[in-house]
Amino acid sequence: MDFLCEIVQALVALAAVVFVVLLVIAHLTAGMVDLTRHEKEKYFLTATGEKRLFPSLHDPHSRELSVVVPAYNEELRLPVMMDEAMEYLENRQKQNPSFTYEVIVVDDGSKDKTTEVALRYTTKYSADKVRVLTLVKNRGKGGAVRMGTLSSRGKVILMADADGATKFSDIEKVEAGLNDLNPKPENMAISCGSRAHLEKDSVAQRSLFRTFLMYGFHFLVWFFCVKGIKDTQCGFKLFTREAALKTFSSLHVERWAFDVELLYIAQCFKIPIAEVAVNWTEIEGTTFFSLSMKYVSSHHATYLEGYKYLCRVCLEVCLWLIAFIFRPFVIIENCRHL
């Protein structure tokens, strides 16, 4: 019995040491990510193949709406989303000729023909309406959205996933949510699409394990980070230009769950946030855990290898959560110059 108590005490002590080490690592690595661009990432191609320099988010807006579409190996799903989006945007412009827009497809270092597929829309609609930003190396979804946002011209900027899971016409709902916030005088506001109203149906279809993971993640996000937003992960968010500059300039997380930090930063700066219900369809391969399972199966992993992979994922999540303890100080310090 005494031997068992000694083992438990040793494990507790080891866990405490590991926790302290993780805190130190998180604190030391909480600096800003590298925002420098490769020379090739500074330009987009016109329909005739000419190189043109991307504008900056710091410049005054010259379009009513920018749509930023992060895409990684999306040559098959991207056309469905783009066809729906372009049909809606073109019809809206016909009904209201003063409405101007642009779509920026950000190829996040894809290994397939995502860039070539996106450039077909540049050829069809012109580079004034569709631009393609091809990243030299993969940054992650958050990094791709950030790079596209920093290259946009819109008065408001919509983040929309390449899988087309959200009905594009629901932009009118998030626009209404943004306007209801009355963002003046600083014009700071964010409107988030939400799938929270679909949660009961999704729980009924999910396994007990996935439901546990979902609620566990929601609790951790609420406890450590974002209060008052039920669905932080929906990839359909609308920003005023000023709010986009403030939040994306302070973003640290470039991969999974970057949305959480983005909203956390907004709440730190007291930027008003609306949450609006949108139509959403689960597309195969879009969820984090389904991608994890595909990774395991595609590598012909054994149960042990799969277990090790999920452990690495859990460790990354723990590091991410611990890092948030230091975020307010780093965010405020980094944004004093904005």
Side-chain angles (χ1 to χ4, degrees), residues 47 82-83 85-87 90 101 119-130:
M82 286 295 291
D83 288 341
M86 295 306 297
E87 181 181 4
E90 287 292 287
Y101 74 89
L119 283 172
R120 294 174 193 165
Y121 292 89
T122 299
T123 303
K124 183 176 180 179
Y125 294 99
S126 82
D128 191 50
K129 292 184 176 180
V130 181

Side-chain angles (χ1 to χ4, degrees), residues 87-275:
E87 181 181 4
Y88 170 85
L89 294 168
E90 287 292 287
N91 287 336
R92 182 166 171 174
Q93 191 172 62
K94 287 178 182 177
Q95 295 171 9
N96 179 15
S98 64
F99 171 73
T100 53
Y101 74 89
E102 67 172 350
V103 178
I104 302 174
V105 179
V106 186
D107 181 346
D108 190 21
S110 298
K111 298 177 182 179
D112 64 0
K113 297 181 179 179
T114 296
T115 290
E116 289 85 340
V117 170
L119 283 172
R120 294 174 193 165
Y121 292 89
T122 299
T123 303
K124 183 176 180 179
Y125 294 99
S126 82
D128 191 50
K129 292 184 176 180
V130 181
R131 296 179 174 182
V132 182
L133 169 55
T134 303
L135 303 183
V136 173
K137 65 177 182 178
N138 177 265
R139 286 177 174 261
K141 183 181 176 182
V145 173
R146 187 220 300 267
M147 296 301 283
T149 300
L150 294 177
S151 306
S152 62
R153 298 174 287 167
K155 183 178 181 180
V156 294
I157 301 164
L158 176 72
M159 177 183 86
D161 286 344
D163 59 15
T166 304
K167 189 176 180 181
F168 193 83
S169 59
D170 279 359
I171 185 177
E172 296 174 9
K173 296 180 180 179
V174 290
E175 282 178 323
L178 197 71
N179 294 331
D180 289 342
L181 290 173
N182 192 20
K184 296 179 181 180
E186 294 184 339
N187 202 37
M188 294 277 192
I190 300 172
S191 183
C192 303
S194 175
R195 305 158 297 181
H197 61 293
L198 304 172
E199 189 171 289
K200 289 184 178 179
D201 292 337
S202 65
V203 167
Q205 297 172 8
R206 282 191 175 104
S207 66
L208 182 62
F209 177 67
R210 288 190 65 190
T211 300
F212 171 77
L213 290 175
M214 179 186 72
Y215 282 122
F217 176 74
H218 288 176
F219 171 76
L220 291 174
V221 168
W222 172 83
F223 186 79
F224 284 100
C225 317
V226 180
K227 304 290 194 298
I229 305 297
K230 295 179 180 178
D231 183 7
T232 58
Q233 296 297 101
C234 182
F236 203 73
K237 294 180 174 67
L238 186 68
F239 304 78
T240 62
R241 190 173 184 84
E242 292 76 9
L245 178 60
K246 196 79 167 178
T247 54
F248 280 99
S249 297
S250 308
L251 188 69
H252 299 75
V253 178
E254 288 200 310
R255 296 189 180 274
W256 178 70
F258 79 97
D259 318 60
V260 177
E261 190 191 12
L262 205 62
L263 296 177
Y264 178 73
I265 292 169
Q267 290 189 340
C268 283
F269 286 116
K270 302 189 185 307
I271 297 174
I273 303 172
E275 187 172 16

